[in-house]
Amino acid sequence: MIFGTLGRYFFRRYLAITIWFFLGIISIVFLIDFSETAGRMSGLPGYTVAGGLLMTAVRLPLIIQQTVPFIALFVGMTVLIGLNRKYELVVARAAGISVWQFMSPFIAGAFLLGILTMAVINPLAAWGQRQAALVETDWRGQEKATSSKPQVPWLRQISGKDDVIIGARTIQQNGTLLIDAVLIHFDSDGRVILRQDAASAKLEDGYWLLKNVTERRPGEIAVRKDTVQLRTNLKQDFVQERLTSPETIAFFDLSNRIAIAKSFGVPTKALETQFHSLLSQPLLLVAMTLIAATVSLKFSRFNQSRSVILGGILSGFVLYVVNVLVKAFGSSGVVPPFVAAWIPVVVALALGATILLHQEDG
């Protein structure tokens, strides 16, 4: 069916409406994100309108990746409702074509959209996240480090008698360059003996290179230094795996990064959950398409029931929320990453297929 004349026609309809939805979503998201970026960062020293447009552009793939499941849902509902109103599905049914036959082009389209998301949009989103961090850091320029709090995660290193906790506001170069770093030193009794605030901390071979450092010791006047070298036994690969966010790693690099992280004993639950979540993306979009079919195949010439359309939207939203919630459980280690990524998708596929079987085949 999918390679027949009718199947190709349905597939072209699905493709055309998907493209229009993408163009519409991209336009709306661009305007909203640019307005939010301008309002949040226009006060930074290096901000410019051109820079704001650039940041919004590089952030677009990540936002689009998050909206793809809803795009699949709305495209499926729009295509099927449109075909119903033009009697095309009525004619297909009258010709003896089953629901599974004329749904196959839409299922194939959703599956291909999932592969596109996994193989193209995700790498662009990971690259865009890294570039957005670089642009924001450049904007902040000479802004004082005390204007914002260091962000987690914190690193702890113990080298001889030196016990140091390291945090930073911005992490770059896969965790080996920390911007507005804070280093807190402890003695053997757990008391703070030194705090170092550095404009940047670069992990070199065997030491951290701190620049523009302010050192504070209890009861003493703060001391400023241009550069300080802090000995460390941390390796660059370890720090990269410890500090890099899964969202900044492209799908094709995740399996390698998981193997490296395991070799260093770094927890890999978040990386594994991200990997399986992306791998299950095609089937998630197929599940969204089946949900759209369950509420859109009933014939209505002029007005599709608002309650039916709302039910489809709510069903897709519930699936998305459950998927995100279980993914968070997988990242934190509450449930195995494989289970967190695949169970909601498999259950949604089974429910969608069951409802269609009940509606169409009794």
Side-chain angles (χ1 to χ4, degrees), residues 9-79:
Y9 169 71
F10 283 169
F11 185 79
R12 287 197 300 270
R13 288 287 297 273
Y14 183 91
L15 181 62
I17 293 180
T18 299
I19 292 174
W20 281 112
F21 261 91
F22 263 98
L23 292 176
I25 293 296
I26 287 173
S27 301
I28 294 172
V29 167
F30 190 92
L31 291 174
I32 294 175
D33 190 67
F34 175 71
S35 299
E36 190 273 338
T37 299
R40 182 166 55 93
M41 300 185 178
S42 58
L44 297 180
Y47 176 83
T48 62
V49 174
L53 293 172
L54 174 62
M55 171 169 275
T56 300
V58 298
R59 281 168 46 87
L60 265 181
L62 177 65
I63 303 174
I64 295 301
Q65 176 182 300
Q66 296 171 342
T67 62
V68 163
F70 291 104
I71 291 177
L73 175 67
F74 292 135
V75 167
M77 294 176 63
T78 302
V79 173

Side-chain angles (χ1 to χ4, degrees), residues 20-326:
W20 281 112
F21 261 91
F22 263 98
L23 292 176
I25 293 296
I26 287 173
S27 301
I28 294 172
V29 167
F30 190 92
L31 291 174
I32 294 175
D33 190 67
F34 175 71
S35 299
E36 190 273 338
T37 299
R40 182 166 55 93
M41 300 185 178
S42 58
L44 297 180
Y47 176 83
T48 62
V49 174
L53 293 172
L54 174 62
M55 171 169 275
T56 300
V58 298
R59 281 168 46 87
L60 265 181
L62 177 65
I63 303 174
I64 295 301
Q65 176 182 300
Q66 296 171 342
T67 62
V68 163
F70 291 104
I71 291 177
L73 175 67
F74 292 135
V75 167
M77 294 176 63
T78 302
V79 173
L80 293 172
I81 291 174
L83 293 175
N84 251 333
R85 290 184 175 178
K86 293 182 178 180
Y87 293 105
E88 290 169 297
L89 290 187
V90 176
V91 173
R93 292 172 188 270
I97 299 175
S98 72
V99 64
W100 304 109
Q101 288 177 303
F102 65 71
M103 279 297 298
S104 58
F106 309 127
I107 292 175
F111 191 84
L112 291 176
L113 179 59
I115 293 177
L116 177 69
T117 302
M118 178 179 66
V120 179
I121 297 179
N122 173 256
L124 286 175
W127 174 83
Q129 277 288 89
R130 296 193 296 269
Q131 297 306 309
L134 291 174
V135 171
E136 182 176 352
T137 301
D138 183 61
W139 285 351
R140 294 188 181 277
Q142 301 300 318
E143 185 185 25
K144 294 182 179 179
T146 54
S147 63
S148 64
K149 298 179 180 179
Q151 69 173 34
V152 293
W154 292 82
L155 273 177
R156 182 176 182 177
Q157 70 171 45
I158 300 177
S159 180
K161 297 181 179 180
D162 197 14
D163 186 355
V164 186
I165 293 180
I166 305 171
R169 183 177 62 190
T170 305
I171 299 170
Q172 296 181 8
Q173 299 181 16
N174 291 327
T176 59
L177 178 60
L178 309 179
I179 305 300
D180 290 340
V182 176
L183 298 89
I184 302 176
H185 299 247
F186 298 88
D187 61 15
S188 57
D189 295 325
R191 293 189 297 266
V192 176
I193 57 175
L194 172 65
R195 170 175 172 146
Q196 294 173 309
D197 293 273
S200 66
K202 173 69 174 175
L203 180 60
E204 304 290 353
D205 188 14
Y207 65 93
W208 288 97
L209 179 60
L210 312 180
K211 294 185 178 181
N212 298 327
V213 187
T214 301
E215 295 187 345
R216 298 179 177 89
R217 298 180 183 273
E220 298 182 12
I221 299 175
V223 178
R224 295 187 60 84
K225 297 181 179 179
D226 292 334
T227 61
V228 173
Q229 290 187 9
L230 176 65
R231 188 178 60 179
T232 182
N233 53 8
L234 297 178
K235 302 298 183 182
Q236 290 190 358
D237 289 339
F238 173 83
V239 175
Q240 288 176 352
E241 300 309 319
R242 179 67 180 85
L243 294 182
T244 302
S245 171
E247 286 73 22
T248 61
I249 303 176
F251 171 75
F252 298 108
D253 295 331
L254 276 170
S255 57
N256 184 49
R257 299 297 288 270
I258 290 171
I260 294 174
K262 286 182 177 179
S263 68
F264 283 105
V266 177
T268 61
K269 299 298 184 183
L271 292 173
E272 291 181 50
T273 302
Q274 177 75 354
F275 176 77
H276 286 291
S277 178
L278 291 171
L279 199 61
S280 66
Q281 188 82 182
L283 291 183
L284 174 63
L285 301 192
V286 171
M288 286 291 190
T289 302
L290 291 180
I291 290 174
T294 61
V295 299
S296 305
L297 288 179
K298 184 178 180 180
F299 174 71
S300 178
R301 177 66 180 88
F302 296 106
N303 293 311
Q304 199 77 12
S305 171
R306 290 190 181 91
S307 61
V308 171
I309 295 176
L310 181 60
I313 295 174
L314 288 177
S315 299
F317 179 76
V318 169
L319 172 59
Y320 180 79
V321 170
V322 170
N323 190 56
V324 171
L325 183 62
V326 177

